[in-house]
Amino acid sequence: MREIRYEQLQETLYQEQLNNGLQVYILPKPEYNQAYATFTTKYGSIDRQFIIPDQTEAVTVPDGIAHFLEHKMFEEEEGDVFNDFAKFGASANAFTSFDITTYLFSATDHLDENLEILLDFVQRPYLTDENVEKEKGIIGQEIQMYDDNPDWRSYFGVLQGLFKNHPIRIDIAGTIESISKITKETLMDCYKTFYHPSNMLLFVVGPYNPEKTIELIKRNQAAKTFQPQGEIRRIFPDEPREAFQAKVETRLPVSIPRCLFGFKEVNPGVSGRQLLVRELATAVGFDTLFSRSANLFNRLFNEGLIDKGFTWEYEVTPSYGFSIIGGNTKDPDRVMSIINGELERIRQQGVKRDAFELSRKKMIGKFLEGIESPRYIARNFTSYKFKEADFFESISVLEKLTHDQVNERLKEHFDPIAQTVSLVLPNAQEH
């Protein structure tokens, strides 16, 4: 087992790739009471077209199938996996994002038993025609619930305004129509392709002994048979540089409009440390502009144009990147006029050096605070690892980040042709 030492953080991470291809990372935290483990496949909602290893023809699967499969994995012939975790005092969950699906548990006792349950249920699909049909009704209700959620609709409004062809514009859960096409056979094809150990990563953090834990994992995996698997070739359509639509409007029964805007990353395709630098430079720049201590935020707030729910996020991967910023407002046009004026000034003059330094130090503080949380560590480490980046290098990247880097980053990202605005407006009144 390889030891990876992070002197600055005083942490030692243990890593090994098993014979079946599974990547295992163990971060011992003997002083912690709680353990947290994630078992993640590099498979998300955007993986809708791909070539199965050892085949030549591309396969296109129904939208929402990765999320559907996540739901089904918790069902076993003997019952619900949540009951198994509950017997050993663990809390279990899962989530599907655009590019990964993660199964997880947290516990303070019976850590080995819970780890084995996690490994076993994710590697033991139980699919029947009957339980697949039943699940369509459950997920269909979930889709309808999100269709009425102004936060969700405004979020996907930005993605649908930014992207013309990329599957990131499609809801993670799909549509009622798309999931109606899902069958036991298509689910199993996706499972065999993407749930092979060579496409997965296990991360364990907490009061674990690394030597004993890796032996437990090796014994568990050696008892199962996996045929060697070649490379999964993912297929993504070409995406134009500019935003697909300048504005997307949705009508819902809301009392106050919701206004989000965002920019498409016109030059994604980065990975490793380059991706980490880009993401953190963007985050520091956004903090100078949109955090609650920023002049722009306070101007909008003091004029009563936004509330404290005004937020931002930025994400970049090898195949896509985007930002989403905004919140509720009584006057979307006025908010966008002020913000776009400020972004034009930033493109010309950049952010001030003292604001940059303040935000950079804030980000370092947030990172150091975050790595006290097993949940924060496990989720971020895994997500970055699949982008070939090391989450624990964040601190050194932030320390070396320069004022010029952040200004160049904001100038590149705030390209007016790559911007869209998503509005959720109150239903029109009938007269």
Side-chain angles (χ1 to χ4, degrees):
M1 194 163 41
R2 184 166 70 106
E3 292 186 20
I4 307 169
R5 181 66 180 167
Y6 299 94
E7 285 297 340
Q8 194 173 12
L9 301 174
Q10 292 293 294
E11 300 283 6
T12 301
L13 183 65
Y14 295 81
Q15 182 270 336
E16 184 163 341
Q17 183 169 23
L18 306 189
N19 291 335
N20 62 17
L22 178 63
Q23 291 278 358
V24 179
Y25 290 85
I26 302 169
L27 182 65
K29 289 275 195 183
E31 71 279 18
Y32 281 26
N33 292 319
Q34 186 189 49
Y36 197 91
T38 57
F39 197 15
T40 303
T41 170
K42 187 179 180 183
Y43 175 45
S45 66
I46 63 171
D47 294 309
R48 62 191 300 272
Q49 190 172 34
F50 51 89
I51 299 176
I52 296 172
D54 303 324
Q55 295 189 17
T56 56
E57 297 293 323
V59 173
T60 302
V61 293
D63 296 330
I65 195 166
H67 172 259
F68 197 108
L69 187 53
E70 173 222 308
H71 268 237
K72 289 311 309 161
M73 293 306 298
F74 283 94
E75 186 173 341
E76 296 198 315
E77 191 167 8
E78 297 78 19
D80 196 316
V81 175
F82 287 109
N83 295 331
D84 299 334
F85 281 110
K87 287 177 188 172
F88 292 105
S91 173
N93 209 337
F95 63 88
T96 304
S97 70
F98 296 119
D99 53 0
I100 61 173
T101 303
T102 294
Y103 301 86
L104 60 95
F105 78 83
S106 63
T108 57
D109 202 358
H110 298 290
L111 305 187
D112 290 350
E113 290 87 347
N114 285 311
L115 185 55
E116 293 229 51
I117 293 171
L118 177 68
L119 286 166
D120 288 343
F121 92 83
V122 175
Q123 294 183 325
R124 191 170 54 208
Y126 175 62
L127 301 169
T128 66
D129 291 328
E130 292 74 21
N131 70 21
V132 169
E133 286 305 312
K134 181 183 174 186
E135 198 68 35
K136 290 177 183 177
I138 296 169
I139 295 179
Q141 289 179 348
E142 185 180 327
I143 291 171
Q144 288 177 323
M145 183 180 71
Y146 277 99
D147 281 346
D148 294 333
N149 184 310
D151 293 354
W152 193 250
R153 293 291 298 275
S154 56
Y155 185 91
F156 267 91
V158 173
L159 296 178
Q160 288 161 1
L162 290 178
F163 294 91
K164 180 180 181 182
N165 302 317
H166 197 285
I168 195 172
R169 71 191 309 276
I170 301 168
D171 194 302
I172 290 170
T175 64
I176 291 178
E177 181 184 0
S178 71
I179 66 170
S180 72
K181 300 171 184 171
I182 292 174
T183 65
K184 179 183 68 177
E185 288 73 23
T186 53
L187 286 166
M188 189 54 79
D189 284 344
C190 291
Y191 180 83
K192 288 179 178 175
T193 302
F194 293 102
Y195 281 64
H196 190 278
S198 61
N199 192 52
M200 301 189 72
L201 189 153
L202 176 68
F203 189 91
V204 180
V205 55
Y208 281 100
N209 177 299
E211 287 78 18
K212 289 182 179 176
T213 302
I214 193 68
E215 287 308 313
L216 180 154
I217 296 166
K218 283 181 177 178
R219 279 198 308 274
N220 179 284
Q221 294 297 285
K224 302 167 184 172
T225 302
F226 299 96
Q227 297 300 319
Q229 178 168 285
E231 180 188 2
I232 304 166
R233 284 174 286 174
R234 296 167 167 84
I235 300 169
F236 297 110
D238 292 335
E239 181 64 34
R241 177 186 176 89
E242 65 272 11
F244 177 45
Q245 295 172 277
K247 184 185 287 188
V248 176
E249 285 191 11
T250 305
R251 294 281 178 176
L252 286 176
V254 295
S255 58
I256 185 168
R258 185 162 180 81
C259 172
L260 299 183
F261 67 98
F263 291 83
K264 182 196 299 187
E265 193 61 76
V266 297
N267 183 28
V270 293
S271 59
R273 190 174 176 91
Q274 188 183 4
L275 179 145
L276 198 58
V277 171
R278 179 181 290 187
E279 191 159 300
L280 292 173
T282 310
V284 169
F286 277 28
D287 189 83
T288 67
L289 293 170
F290 306 120
S291 71
R292 292 186 188 181
S293 59
N295 290 336
L296 177 59
F297 176 92
N298 282 292
R299 177 185 173 187
L300 295 169
F301 185 80
N302 292 334
E303 290 187 24
L305 291 170
I306 62 172
D307 57 28
K308 291 182 179 178
F310 188 92
T311 60
W312 63 266
E313 71 169 74
Y314 173 76
E315 182 173 352
V316 63
T317 74
S319 80
Y320 64 85
F322 63 88
S323 59
I324 295 183
I325 306 144
N328 296 328
T329 177
K330 63 184 180 185
D331 192 344
D333 291 339
R334 174 70 177 151
V335 166
M336 289 312 304
S337 174
I338 293 172
I339 288 177
N340 281 332
E342 178 65 5
L343 297 188
E344 178 57 29
R345 188 190 70 75
I346 292 298
R347 280 193 291 270
Q348 299 297 324
Q349 302 174 19
V351 299
K352 292 182 178 178
R353 186 176 293 275
D354 57 349
F356 155 74
E357 285 295 349
L358 180 64
S359 291
R360 188 175 69 90
K361 290 175 181 173
K362 255 171 66 180
M363 297 294 290
I364 292 173
K366 280 186 179 178
F367 174 81
L368 293 174
E369 183 182 356
I371 62 169
E372 294 301 315
S373 160
R375 177 177 181 272
Y376 179 84
I377 294 172
R379 291 194 175 199
N380 280 287
F381 182 88
T382 301
S383 175
Y384 279 108
K385 204 64 194 173
F386 279 132
K387 302 171 192 172
E388 301 174 15
D390 187 341
F391 172 63
F392 290 121
E393 289 186 356
S394 297
I395 192 81
S396 66
V397 169
L398 283 166
E399 286 179 340
K400 293 173 183 172
L401 203 60
T402 68
H403 183 220
D404 287 343
Q405 275 181 299
V406 169
N407 281 334
E408 283 300 315
R409 182 80 272 277
L410 294 180
K411 186 177 180 181
E412 179 185 47
H413 185 68
F414 292 142
D415 185 339
I417 70 165
Q419 183 185 25
T420 195
V421 179
S422 169
L423 299 174
V424 173
L425 302 170
N427 286 333
Q429 291 186 345
E430 296 182 4
H431 296 284

